[in-house]
Amino acid sequence: MTMNYFDMHSHILPGVDDGCKTVEQSLELINIHLKNGVKNICLTPHYYSNEISLEDFADARDEAFEKLKPRLPEGVTVCLGAEVYVSKYLFNNSDISRACYGKSRYMLTEFPYNSSFTGKSLDKLLKIRDNYGITPIIPHIERYPNVFEDEGTLEELTDMGVIIQTNVSSFEKFFRRNRILKLIDRGLIHILGTDAHSLNRGNPDLYLQACGFIRKKCGEERLVQMQKTAEEIFSSAL
């Protein structure tokens, strides 16, 4: 059976953030994904809630997507979302659903990398979950050293329903890869993303390589479970 692959974090949408600048650059990355059999892609440009209103960001994102949409190749399915930098200003909004993945109640939530998800950072995470009814997804967990090396905190976050994402580019470094694989094996990392900005930053070609490492070290069943988790989020967004 052919596996259904999902890139849950990318900066492929053109002209919105520090990712792709043109539609042509976006299509180059999308076509790499298609060549590798990755047909489901989340477009999650940075949303800095301390710099711009959610309404202005979402309008700019939607406008960019309208330019890309007519040129999307056959066979690819995309959903719009955001990588949300969580600041106190985010909570000035009574409704933050436009920053979620499409129609879903899942949100990619970025915090300062020194966060330990205790104190204020944990309060914000819980506020997103409890006050807005949105499931937070923490991107590229390997960039949070206080948490990446603390399995107890990762277990607590997972028990809270928080979803943890890792970047496929992080599998290129041996020691980091081994740590990521250990956490995947324990069920403490749940989904994959490229965090693709360009061919030189998060190249989509690395996606299947990362899946190969997971399959070899953690087993086919674990990889299938990760893709099923991604599919649940993706499907709820459409």
Side-chain angles (χ1 to χ4, degrees):
M1 183 178 67
T2 302
M3 187 171 296
N4 212 7
Y5 294 110
F6 296 83
D7 180 359
M8 300 304 294
H9 177 184
S10 82
H11 299 271
I12 292 175
L13 192 66
V16 181
D17 60 4
D18 59 343
C20 292
K21 301 305 178 188
T22 66
V23 169
E24 287 70 26
Q25 289 175 358
S26 301
L27 293 174
E28 187 174 16
L29 298 185
I30 290 170
N31 282 319
I32 291 172
H33 261 330
L34 284 177
K35 177 193 71 175
N36 291 326
V38 182
K39 300 179 180 179
N40 307 283
I41 305 170
C42 295
L43 307 176
T44 54
H46 288 288
Y47 165 46
Y48 294 105
S49 59
N50 55 327
E51 295 181 2
I52 185 175
S53 72
L54 176 55
E55 182 178 359
D56 286 347
F57 161 78
D59 286 347
R61 179 199 58 192
D62 295 352
E63 183 178 346
F65 182 60
E66 289 303 313
K67 296 176 182 177
L68 176 63
K69 185 164 64 173
R71 297 184 60 184
L72 285 172
E74 185 177 350
V76 67
T77 303
V78 301
C79 80
L80 286 180
E83 182 179 7
V84 180
Y85 183 77
V86 179
S87 73
K88 64 181 181 180
Y89 300 103
L90 179 67
F91 303 107
N92 291 338
N93 298 282
S94 59
D95 180 3
I96 57 174
S97 60
R98 288 189 79 185
C100 291
Y101 287 96
K103 298 176 181 177
S104 80
R105 303 300 291 176
Y106 295 91
M107 181 185 291
L108 201 60
T109 53
E110 186 177 35
F111 289 79
Y113 293 152
N114 63 354
S115 296
S116 58
F117 296 101
T118 59
K120 291 183 179 179
S121 55
L122 180 60
D123 289 344
K124 289 175 181 175
L125 203 65
L126 291 173
K127 194 170 185 178
I128 290 169
R129 187 194 69 175
D130 298 338
N131 292 20
Y132 293 92
I134 290 170
T135 298
I137 299 174
I138 299 177
H140 38 60
I141 193 63
E142 57 272 20
R143 296 186 187 174
Y144 298 84
N146 295 328
V147 184
F148 188 55
E149 299 297 334
D150 183 354
E151 291 183 29
T153 297
L154 285 170
E155 287 176 354
E156 290 174 5
L157 291 170
T158 297
D159 289 344
M160 288 166 46
V162 175
I163 293 171
I164 308 296
Q165 179 254 315
T166 188
N167 285 356
V168 297
S169 60
S170 295
F171 286 76
E172 290 195 294
K173 296 181 179 179
F174 177 77
F175 291 106
R176 180 170 285 184
R177 177 172 74 236
N178 283 352
R179 177 65 180 162
I180 290 170
L181 289 170
K182 180 181 179 181
L183 296 174
I184 288 174
D185 195 47
R186 291 202 56 196
L188 300 177
I189 291 178
H190 312 112
I191 57 174
L192 296 172
T194 61
D195 197 9
H197 288 66
S198 67
L199 288 175
N200 298 319
R201 187 177 172 193
N203 190 330
D205 253 336
L206 299 173
Y207 189 98
L208 290 189
Q209 181 186 64
C211 289
F213 284 124
I214 297 169
R215 184 179 284 110
K216 182 178 180 180
K217 296 295 184 180
C218 307
E220 182 77 11
E221 186 176 346
R222 180 61 72 187
L223 179 59
V224 168
Q225 182 57 56
M226 293 180 75
Q227 298 299 341
K228 283 185 176 179
T229 299
E231 184 173 16
E232 289 173 8
I233 299 165
F234 197 91
S235 297
S236 70
L238 300 181

